[in-house]
Amino acid sequence: MTGMRVTGAYRGSGDGVEAGPLEATVAQLGAQDAIQVLCQGVADVVRAAPLRPSRVSVRFGCASLDVEWPATASVDAAVPAPDAESKPELDTVTAPLVGTFYRASEPGATPFVAPGDLVEPGQQVAIIEAMKLLNPILAEQHGEVVDVLVADAQPVEYGQPLLRLRPPRTERTG
Amino acid sequence: MTGMRVTGAYRGSGDGVEAGPLEATVAQLGAQDAIQVLCQGVADVVRAAPLRPSRVSVRFGCASLDVEWPATASVDAAVPAPDAESKPELDTVTAPLVGTFYRASEPGATPFVAPGDLVEPGQQVAIIEAMKLLNPILAEQHGEVVDVLVADAQPVEYGQPLLRLRPPRTERTG
Amino acid sequence: MNATTPEDRPFGTVLVANRGEIALRVVRTCREMGIRTVVVHSTADRDSAAVLAADEAVQIGPAAPKRSYLYPPAIVEVALRTGAEAVHPGYGFLAEDPDFAEICARNGLVFVGPRPEVMARLGDKAAARRLMAETGLPVPQGSARPLTDARDLAAVAREIGLPLIIKAVAGGGGRGMSVVWQADQLLPAFRATRAAAGAVFADDRVYAERFLPGARHIEVQVLADDHGNIIHLGARDCSVQRRYQKLIEESPAPALAPGVLGRLTGAAVAGARSVGYSGAGTFEFVVDGDDVAFIEVNCRIQVEHPVTEMVTGVDLVREQLQVAAGRPLSLGQDDVRPRGVAVECRVNVEDADRDFLPCPGVLTEFVPPGGPFVRVDTHGYPGWRVPAEYDSLVAKVIAWAPDRRQALARMDRALAEFRVSGPGVRTTRDLLREVLADPDFRAAEHTTSLLAELTARRSRPHRAG
Amino acid sequence: MNATTPEDRPFGTVLVANRGEIALRVVRTCREMGIRTVVVHSTADRDSAAVLAADEAVQIGPAAPKRSYLYPPAIVEVALRTGAEAVHPGYGFLAEDPDFAEICARNGLVFVGPRPEVMARLGDKAAARRLMAETGLPVPQGSARPLTDARDLAAVAREIGLPLIIKAVAGGGGRGMSVVWQADQLLPAFRATRAAAGAVFADDRVYAERFLPGARHIEVQVLADDHGNIIHLGARDCSVQRRYQKLIEESPAPALAPGVLGRLTGAAVAGARSVGYSGAGTFEFVVDGDDVAFIEVNCRIQVEHPVTEMVTGVDLVREQLQVAAGRPLSLGQDDVRPRGVAVECRVNVEDADRDFLPCPGVLTEFVPPGGPFVRVDTHGYPGWRVPAEYDSLVAKVIAWAPDRRQALARMDRALAEFRVSGPGVRTTRDLLREVLADPDFRAAEHTTSLLAELTARRSRPHRAG
């Protein structure tokens, strides 16, 4: 298969009888809204995907939407999607404010964290300077630093991913 | 596959065994509304998608809609023609010009044709008056008149269906 | 293409600290002047038209305005980082916040608006009214000062009579007001308004003034620079309001009593001069026949500014930017030669049948009107999701014609061809068309009560036989 | 809402015998005047914006214009059936066909345009030029009569010199013309033009006139009624052309030599008076410094009419309808007070890199520009398929400003925000922006050769190092 496949399945936990808050939400939505949400989902995927998908499938409770595009149309379907699929279990630390990102407390100092480091909740991992104030960025979870996504002294937006952490195995299975 | 296939399946609560508030919502909608919502969903997807999809499938509870387009670029086929599919074997005589449709040569006279009549190529089936000229409308094929779609003395547009003919069996298999 | 050479544009980079149609409006004029634009936005506005149109866009916070559009540190940080020399605040949000203007100044940024101290003086509505009364402007009968307690309220009510209106000192945008028609409603209204004002504006002071139910809302647009030039650009009538929020505005103000226009424009220019106003501003009045009373000054560009632009040919945002850069206005009073009539209708995603309940959603269909003498200011586009977090305005339709009758007919034509739809989305379009068809409105005999009467008629059940 | 009472609208029902943006344009003004509209359309235009906007739409034939938009019996039949009192022909198709106007008259329908005999006289370009020369209008050196044969052509060429242009007597819309630069091209060009004219216009007569490569195309808009009133609404410059078809137009005409504007407008009014013109019409001239020559009259509303509307505030279609109903013009010459500068850009679905090859298709994305002083006349909307059978114009963007420099900057801003795309769809938008950035164009020193030079530069391969 040449094209990319994105499956936006929203299955909840098991495949059988689904319940819980999600289900309740869908129930409230009603058919029209639900389909609308699914359409939006497909549109978002298509917009967000760096490559044009050949097939998108969205499901939410009893509502589902499946779209396929002809294989010929996907002109720029050569490069695989970045990492969305390959590293699905990583946590991301995002910027809680706009400012300048610093990896260390001062120029030349050792960075707060580097790939491979283990961090724990509350541990400082970076600084964002805004309005001449230095705002410490703290980890919220346990994890191993996989990579630092922003170079030192670069401007960051609100919500921009800064670091990726791999949660410890014990937590994942727990 | 050349033609377009539209499947408006309405499966009821057969195999899916989904119940609860969702099912109730769909039930409230009623068949027509549900399909309407799904059609809208498909239309939205087709409109929103940067490329025309080759296949769209929408499902909500027990209602589902599946549309496939042929691989060739026949883009005009997004909307199904009203009766084209339901009575695929009928020929239609359409108005070759804009004007006023008459079923008979003069008021009170016997109509040129009535349902059940057999017509042959070149036989006059109606008149369209335009610019005070009476234009005879001739059948182009053999067939049995199924129905006359326009009332006497009504205005018709170019291309408007006037009569439907059922071709003789021999011709269909031949 | 840069149509303007670097030397003659007022700024190299301007940061737009707003969203929606007004952010796009400011970006448009900046582009035309060769100014680079930076738009700050919340996570809910990632795909907004202003973001798409700007040279640079920076996400500064979540959807909640308090942490994005109302959060000065993030805005100033972005301005400094992107090399912006000036900040245009649009309307609403921080547009009339003297503290924000002050912060900008302290950080070497030009705030596009009047000086902070002028804004502070005019922002206190009771103080502004005292000030204008001193300058000789007519003000409504009322307390002209915050009410201290219930006893004070009773005294004022005796003095000015009923109906009266209780307003938040720090109010604006139609919020924090109650009209009192009966004496036994005085105290509950006083308490409710004070509580609301405290919650919304963090300032629970309220004042009372006479309410004129048969009045019109008339306002005068002024422009002032730092070289002593102050001009007015005529009046706007904004009497078609729902819950004190304007829906239809027009310029010139129709059917004013003889001499009233001159009194209003004269008062506005005198008032602006007395406080050392600079930039674009609006002096609002209530008018009932010959009876004229000053209400407040809006220290910003207004939603309805396009009607003034259409009749005068002046780009008000352009003048704001020129003045902010310390330059003189590009025109004098004699150069203001209004032509014809312009009307603006606000198309909001609201359900007029359910008390104007906002109903945001995806605009699956969005085909704005066009053609002769029609202008549309909208940030909407097909497929865009109107965020639920902000106001419900999605488009302003402005129609111009040589006379009012033609302008209203043109507006109705434009609204009729405006196609907006989406799941759950309803708009004020049909209600606007009802107003356009209303005999009182067409005869320009309507007052600020028009819409209330009209919606009351709409919701009244039809009786058979 | 009917803004106009039945007594004061000029017609109860008008049939619009056209398609695309001009059909929508006419429907818009009709609606504003309270006139019911009937739009006739081909099978290819079933979903057109004009069809959607009209009160009634009737399909009259297949996509091929000969059997729909160019087929008088179907149009007249629909007019009679729907109770239309008048037929507005737009531009192109039957707009300048005296026979059609005659057929309308015989069937009791008002044709919105000059009287058939006036159209017939002005439609013969050679005869029109003789006529105007008699009235004292300057005409270009040339045959002033159809060329009989090759010998005749040679004689004319000796008389007026090279380059010369060979034109179809029945030509128009940029078709049926050849420019001859060298003597040995005379005969081939003569034969080719004659053959093309015979094929396209069913009239193979051609004439020759001097060609001015350094000239500008300037035209004067006139309005005339049946009460002896004839006025002009200033001049338009339409020098930015590709293959003799206009791409950018503006009003007023910039940088005319002193006295030229007066000569042109005077000549147009005198010419219109001499033939008993009525309705809206355009007198076209070539201008090279002080050198002025009359070219032809267009007996219809023109594509570029909005620039005149924007500077004068006059709705030209409205005046057409008033005049067609036998009423006087709504304004006199003294009421025409142009303000500022308006520019129009035609956005066509064409590939400017492939010799303007039309590339119609579905407009999956279609977000027209808006905001201050921008008008868009378009029949496009998201999801609409541009039919391959008709011309490639999808939108006219018009920008107004107090001066030309600001108008060009505003136009560039508007074009930059215009989002049109679809599979296979390309537009002239980027080429238009290149023209706006061209130093000659910005200095108003360009001629009709500008676009040819610009596209030549574009297509020239870049050399490395």
Side-chain angles (χ1 to χ4, degrees):
Chain A
M1 178 175 161
T2 40
M4 183 184 102
R5 212 184 98 208
V6 178
T7 316
Y10 225 100
R11 266 189 240 112
S13 38
D15 52 356
V17 188
E18 292 141 10
L22 286 174
E23 203 58 24
T25 309
V26 175
Q28 280 166 15
L29 282 175
Q32 200 173 5
D33 289 339
I35 299 295
Q36 181 56 47
V37 167
L38 297 183
C39 286
Q40 184 59 38
V42 172
D44 287 348
V45 168
V46 171
R47 199 180 308 124
L51 294 173
R52 190 141 294 164
S54 64
R55 182 164 176 274
V56 177
S57 175
V58 192
R59 199 166 107 86
F60 192 94
C62 66
S64 74
L65 175 61
D66 231 287
V67 186
E68 248 179 65
W69 286 267
T72 46
S74 60
V75 191
D76 36 17
V79 198
D83 321 56
E85 294 293 318
S86 55
K87 299 183 180 174
E89 283 116 11
L90 299 183
D91 291 328
T92 306
V93 178
T94 59
L97 78 168
V98 76
T100 305
F101 174 84
Y102 290 106
R103 291 190 57 184
S105 57
E106 56 189 83
T110 316
F112 295 110
V113 293
D117 288 0
L118 291 173
V119 298
E120 49 193 60
Q123 180 179 337
Q124 181 165 1
V125 295
I127 282 174
I128 291 182
E129 180 184 351
M131 299 295 289
K132 299 185 181 90
L133 288 175
L134 303 178
N135 303 276
I137 306 302
L138 309 179
E140 291 183 347
Q141 278 137 301
H142 284 283
E144 177 195 335
V145 176
V146 177
D147 43 15
V148 181
L149 302 166
V150 180
D152 198 49
Q154 286 302 302
V156 291
E157 298 192 305
Y158 171 85
Q160 185 172 336
L162 304 174
L163 297 91
R164 287 190 301 185
L165 302 179
R166 178 174 296 118
R169 288 230 154 246
T170 49
E171 291 216 348
R172 280 172 62 211
T173 50
Chain B
M1 169 176 169
T2 41
M4 190 184 94
R5 214 185 91 211
V6 179
T7 319
Y10 207 83
R11 268 189 244 112
S13 52
D15 44 18
V17 205
E18 284 145 10
L22 285 175
E23 206 57 25
T25 309
V26 176
Q28 278 166 18
L29 280 176
Q32 203 172 0
D33 290 340
I35 298 298
Q36 178 62 40
V37 168
L38 297 182
C39 285
Q40 185 58 42
V42 172
D44 287 348
V45 168
V46 171
R47 197 179 310 122
L51 291 173
R52 208 155 277 270
S54 61
R55 182 162 177 275
V56 176
S57 175
V58 196
R59 199 166 106 85
F60 190 87
C62 65
S64 76
L65 176 61
D66 230 286
V67 186
E68 248 180 65
W69 287 267
T72 49
S74 75
V75 195
D76 287 67
V79 187
D83 320 50
E85 293 294 314
S86 54
K87 298 188 178 171
E89 282 113 12
L90 299 184
D91 291 328
T92 305
V93 178
T94 58
L97 77 168
V98 75
T100 305
F101 174 84
Y102 291 106
R103 291 190 57 185
S105 56
E106 57 188 79
T110 315
F112 294 111
V113 292
D117 289 359
L118 291 174
V119 297
E120 48 193 59
Q123 181 179 338
Q124 182 165 1
V125 295
I127 281 173
I128 292 182
E129 181 185 349
M131 298 295 287
K132 299 185 180 90
L133 288 176
L134 302 180
N135 302 275
I137 306 303
L138 310 180
E140 291 183 346
Q141 277 136 300
H142 283 283
E144 177 196 335
V145 177
V146 176
D147 42 15
V148 181
L149 302 165
V150 180
D152 198 49
Q154 285 302 301
V156 290
E157 297 191 306
Y158 171 85
Q160 184 171 336
L162 304 174
L163 299 90
R164 286 191 299 185
L165 301 179
R166 179 175 296 116
R169 287 225 157 247
T170 48
E171 292 217 348
R172 279 172 65 209
T173 51
Chain C
M1 184 186 76
N2 259 353
T4 314
T5 50
E7 308 85 63
D8 82 329
R9 59 186 178 176
F11 301 104
T13 301
V14 166
L15 182 140
V16 182
N18 213 303
R19 64 172 302 282
E21 68 86 19
I22 193 62
L24 181 60
R25 168 71 189 83
V26 174
V27 167
R28 282 170 164 159
T29 283
C30 286
R31 282 194 83 101
E32 292 168 9
M33 297 178 85
I35 300 170
R36 195 174 145 264
T37 50
V38 177
V39 164
V40 293
H41 64 91
S42 76
T43 52
D45 280 328
R46 248 182 227 134
D47 302 324
S48 79
V51 165
L52 294 175
D55 293 295
E56 190 175 347
V58 180
Q59 183 164 291
I60 54 163
K66 286 219 167 176
R67 292 188 54 205
S68 49
Y69 299 111
L70 286 171
Y71 189 56
I75 296 166
V76 172
E77 168 68 23
V78 172
L80 295 175
R81 174 216 289 182
T82 56
E85 297 140 69
V87 175
H88 196 300
Y91 53 69
F93 294 128
L94 296 169
E96 293 177 280
D97 185 332
D99 295 339
F100 178 61
E102 194 69 59
I103 295 169
C104 286
R106 275 207 306 272
N107 284 280
L109 299 165
V110 176
F111 175 85
V112 179
R115 282 186 301 282
E117 62 273 20
V118 174
M119 271 204 288
R121 287 175 77 189
L122 296 174
D124 180 323
K125 313 253 154 176
R129 222 167 44 170
R130 281 198 306 277
L131 198 68
M132 291 301 152
E134 285 163 18
T135 321
L137 264 67
V139 297
Q141 270 191 297
S143 62
R145 57 175 170 73
L147 297 165
T148 52
D149 54 19
R151 183 193 304 266
D152 190 18
L153 171 70
V156 167
R158 265 194 305 278
E159 180 196 330
I160 63 180
L162 293 179
L164 59 72
I165 186 165
I166 303 177
K167 295 184 177 180
V169 165
R175 293 175 307 171
M177 300 190 198
S178 310
V179 175
V180 180
W181 296 85
Q182 292 172 306
D184 59 359
Q185 288 305 308
L186 267 173
L187 205 55
F190 173 62
R191 286 183 182 136
T193 312
R194 201 159 60 169
V200 177
F201 306 108
D203 175 354
D204 73 353
R205 293 175 303 152
V206 299
Y207 65 101
E209 66 188 23
R210 188 148 175 241
F211 179 68
L212 301 169
R216 293 189 184 193
H217 175 112
I218 309 286
E219 57 188 32
V220 175
Q221 176 72 54
V222 299
L223 279 175
D225 62 24
D226 292 329
H227 304 268
N229 303 306
I230 304 183
I231 63 173
H232 72 84
L233 289 94
R236 295 186 287 255
D237 184 319
C238 313
S239 301
V240 180
Q241 308 184 346
R242 57 113 175 69
R243 299 204 238 151
Y244 312 111
Q245 294 201 351
K246 300 160 188 169
L247 263 188
I248 302 183
E249 303 98 344
E250 60 185 292
S251 184
L256 287 183
V260 166
L261 179 65
R263 284 163 60 202
L264 297 180
T265 56
V269 169
R273 195 174 300 282
S274 74
V275 293
Y277 199 89
S278 61
T282 302
F283 283 69
E284 297 195 335
F285 300 88
V286 286
V287 174
D288 187 3
D290 273 325
D291 219 353
V292 165
F294 164 82
I295 297 293
E296 65 182 56
V297 184
N298 291 311
C299 299
R300 50 167 162 86
I301 193 80
Q302 280 189 277
V303 181
E304 60 270 27
H305 76 276
V307 295
T308 300
E309 294 186 328
M310 292 290 272
V311 296
T312 61
V314 176
D315 180 337
L316 290 170
V317 173
R318 186 184 182 91
E319 296 303 320
Q320 281 191 302
L321 292 166
Q322 297 280 16
V323 167
R327 300 184 182 176
L329 292 172
S330 74
L331 74 170
Q333 190 64 60
D334 291 346
D335 302 315
V336 180
R337 285 187 292 264
R339 177 158 94 180
V341 173
V343 182
E344 174 181 280
C345 280
R346 301 192 192 183
V347 177
N348 301 331
V349 284
E350 287 173 357
D351 191 339
D353 293 328
R354 290 204 281 166
D355 201 22
F356 299 100
L357 191 77
C359 44
V362 176
L363 306 175
T364 44
E365 182 180 46
F366 193 81
V367 183
F373 307 107
V374 168
R375 162 179 172 181
V376 181
D377 277 42
T378 181
H379 53 299
Y381 61 84
W384 185 63
R385 169 179 291 273
V386 183
E389 289 85 357
Y390 310 110
D391 80 50
S392 55
L393 176 70
V394 291
K396 305 189 305 199
V397 179
I398 302 102
W400 178 94
D403 60 47
R404 188 171 186 268
R405 206 181 67 158
Q406 287 183 55
L408 298 186
R410 182 160 282 154
M411 175 60 81
D412 187 69
R413 180 276 288 174
L415 290 177
E417 67 187 45
F418 198 165
R419 286 149 62 192
V420 192
S421 63
V425 171
R426 301 200 55 187
T427 73
T428 47
R429 190 191 75 149
D430 294 346
L431 176 71
L432 291 164
R433 295 188 67 195
E434 274 182 54
V435 176
L436 293 177
D438 180 84
D440 283 352
F441 181 73
R442 290 175 65 180
E445 286 166 358
H446 61 294
T447 69
T448 48
S449 309
L450 174 73
L451 207 66
E453 290 160 20
L454 209 98
T455 46
R457 261 197 310 250
R458 273 165 75 96
S459 60
R460 205 174 298 150
H462 293 278
R463 282 166 200 243
Chain D
M1 183 187 78
N2 260 354
T4 314
T5 51
E7 307 84 63
D8 83 328
R9 57 185 180 177
F11 301 104
T13 302
V14 166
L15 182 139
V16 182
N18 213 301
R19 64 172 302 282
E21 68 87 19
I22 193 63
L24 181 60
R25 169 71 189 82
V26 174
V27 167
R28 282 171 164 159
T29 283
C30 286
R31 282 194 84 101
E32 292 169 13
M33 297 177 85
I35 300 171
R36 197 175 145 262
T37 50
V38 177
V39 163
V40 293
H41 64 91
S42 76
T43 52
D45 280 329
R46 248 182 227 134
D47 303 323
S48 79
V51 165
L52 294 176
D55 292 297
E56 191 175 345
V58 180
Q59 183 165 292
I60 54 163
K66 286 219 166 175
R67 292 189 52 206
S68 49
Y69 299 110
L70 286 170
Y71 189 56
I75 296 166
V76 172
E77 168 68 22
V78 172
L80 294 175
R81 175 214 289 181
T82 55
E85 299 140 67
V87 175
H88 195 301
Y91 54 69
F93 295 128
L94 297 169
E96 293 178 280
D97 185 333
D99 295 340
F100 178 62
E102 194 68 58
I103 294 169
C104 286
R106 275 207 306 274
N107 284 278
L109 298 166
V110 175
F111 174 85
V112 180
R115 283 185 300 281
E117 62 273 20
V118 174
M119 272 204 288
R121 286 174 80 188
L122 297 174
D124 179 325
K125 313 253 154 173
R129 223 169 43 172
R130 280 198 306 278
L131 198 68
M132 290 302 152
E134 285 163 18
T135 320
L137 265 66
V139 297
Q141 270 192 298
S143 60
R145 56 173 172 73
L147 297 166
T148 51
D149 54 20
R151 182 192 305 265
D152 190 18
L153 171 70
V156 167
R158 264 194 305 278
E159 181 195 328
I160 63 179
L162 293 180
L164 59 71
I165 186 165
I166 302 177
K167 294 184 178 180
V169 165
R175 293 176 306 170
M177 300 190 198
S178 310
V179 175
V180 180
W181 297 85
Q182 292 172 307
D184 59 358
Q185 287 306 308
L186 267 173
L187 205 56
F190 173 62
R191 286 184 182 135
T193 312
R194 202 159 61 169
V200 176
F201 306 108
D203 175 354
D204 73 353
R205 292 174 304 151
V206 299
Y207 64 100
E209 66 187 24
R210 196 154 168 235
F211 178 69
L212 302 171
R216 293 191 183 193
H217 175 112
I218 309 286
E219 58 188 31
V220 175
Q221 176 72 54
V222 299
L223 279 176
D225 63 24
D226 293 329
H227 304 268
N229 303 307
I230 304 183
I231 63 172
H232 72 83
L233 288 94
R236 295 186 286 255
D237 183 319
C238 313
S239 300
V240 180
Q241 307 184 347
R242 58 113 176 68
R243 299 203 238 152
Y244 312 112
Q245 295 200 350
K246 300 160 188 168
L247 262 189
I248 302 182
E249 305 97 344
E250 59 184 294
S251 183
L256 288 183
V260 166
L261 178 64
R263 283 163 61 202
L264 297 179
T265 55
V269 170
R273 194 174 300 282
S274 73
V275 293
Y277 199 90
S278 61
T282 302
F283 283 68
E284 297 195 337
F285 300 87
V286 285
V287 174
D288 187 2
D290 274 325
D291 219 354
V292 165
F294 164 82
I295 296 293
E296 65 182 57
V297 185
N298 291 312
C299 299
R300 51 168 161 87
I301 193 80
Q302 280 189 278
V303 180
E304 60 270 27
H305 77 276
V307 295
T308 300
E309 294 187 327
M310 293 289 272
V311 295
T312 61
V314 176
D315 180 338
L316 291 170
V317 173
R318 186 184 183 91
E319 296 303 319
Q320 282 190 300
L321 292 166
Q322 297 280 16
V323 167
R327 300 183 181 177
L329 292 172
S330 74
L331 74 172
Q333 190 64 60
D334 291 346
D335 303 315
V336 180
R337 284 188 291 263
R339 177 159 93 179
V341 173
V343 182
E344 175 182 279
C345 279
R346 302 191 191 184
V347 177
N348 302 331
V349 283
E350 287 173 356
D351 191 339
D353 293 328
R354 290 205 280 165
D355 201 23
F356 299 100
L357 191 77
C359 44
V362 176
L363 306 175
T364 44
E365 182 180 46
F366 192 82
V367 183
F373 306 107
V374 167
R375 162 179 172 182
V376 182
D377 277 42
T378 181
H379 52 299
Y381 62 85
W384 185 62
R385 164 177 289 273
V386 183
E389 289 84 358
Y390 310 110
D391 79 52
S392 54
L393 177 70
V394 290
K396 306 188 307 200
V397 178
I398 302 102
W400 178 93
D403 61 46
R404 187 171 187 268
R405 206 181 68 158
Q406 286 184 55
L408 298 185
R410 183 160 280 153
M411 175 61 81
D412 187 68
R413 181 275 290 173
L415 291 177
E417 67 188 44
F418 198 166
R419 285 149 62 192
V420 192
S421 63
V425 171
R426 301 200 53 186
T427 74
T428 47
R429 188 191 77 148
D430 293 347
L431 176 71
L432 290 164
R433 295 187 68 194
E434 274 183 55
V435 176
L436 293 178
D438 181 84
D440 283 352
F441 181 74
R442 290 175 65 180
E445 285 166 359
H446 62 293
T447 69
T448 48
S449 310
L450 173 72
L451 208 65
E453 290 160 18
L454 209 97
T455 48
R457 262 197 308 249
R458 270 166 77 96
S459 60
R460 205 172 299 150
H462 294 277
R463 283 165 197 245

